[in-house]
Amino acid sequence: MAAAGRGVTAMGSVRSHPDQLQLHLARADELERMIEARVAIRAEADAFRWRLRLILIETLMMGGLVAVAGFSMHQPTAMVLRSAAIVAGACFASGGLLIMLSGAAVWVVSRVRRWRHP
């Protein structure tokens, strides 16, 4: 009877020692909601950073591809650099616009959901 020394009751539940910190499990739901809210905020911030990183990578790749193509065709340097800058700028602008439009769509959908289910 190894369990007898630990204070096992007749129903099989373990009694805690009087000097031990009591756990109030009724607050577990509140704690779980707080943790989920923090994780959601962090995930949203990480998602934005990853989108921005992808746009920057895409911008650099497209600008680099245009520059490599222009130099490989022996075009004038000023024209190649200008073309690469224009393509990179357009790529960055379209990516930023895409992020803003997707954020606006999420905002509209959340407003409609709140309006339909108060």
Side-chain angles (χ1 to χ4, degrees):
M1 304 285 260
R6 285 190 271 163
V8 177
T9 63
M11 297 296 291
S13 63
V14 179
R15 290 185 307 209
S16 62
H17 191 270
D19 293 337
Q20 185 177 3
L21 179 65
Q22 297 295 319
L23 294 177
H24 301 287
L25 298 178
R27 291 187 285 166
D29 293 335
E30 179 184 339
L31 181 62
E32 187 70 26
R33 281 193 299 271
M34 288 173 40
I35 291 171
E36 286 179 4
R38 288 182 182 175
V39 168
I41 290 170
R42 185 171 182 182
E44 188 176 331
D46 285 346
F48 180 75
R49 280 190 220 111
W50 275 106
R51 287 182 193 129
L52 192 59
R53 286 178 187 165
L54 287 174
I55 289 173
L56 290 175
I57 290 169
E58 177 187 73
T59 298
L60 292 174
M61 286 180 59
M62 291 301 292
L65 285 172
V66 169
V68 167
F71 288 133
S72 67
M73 292 189 299
H74 305 293
Q75 298 295 318
T77 304
M79 185 177 76
V80 170
L81 293 179
R82 188 184 77 215
S83 299
I86 289 171
V87 168
C91 189
F92 185 76
S94 66
L97 186 63
L98 186 62
I99 286 179
M100 288 190 306
L101 289 176
S102 65
V106 167
W107 182 79
V108 167
V109 168
S110 68
R111 290 290 181 166
V112 168
R113 283 185 182 169
R114 281 190 220 152
W115 175 68
R116 292 184 128 196
H117 303 288

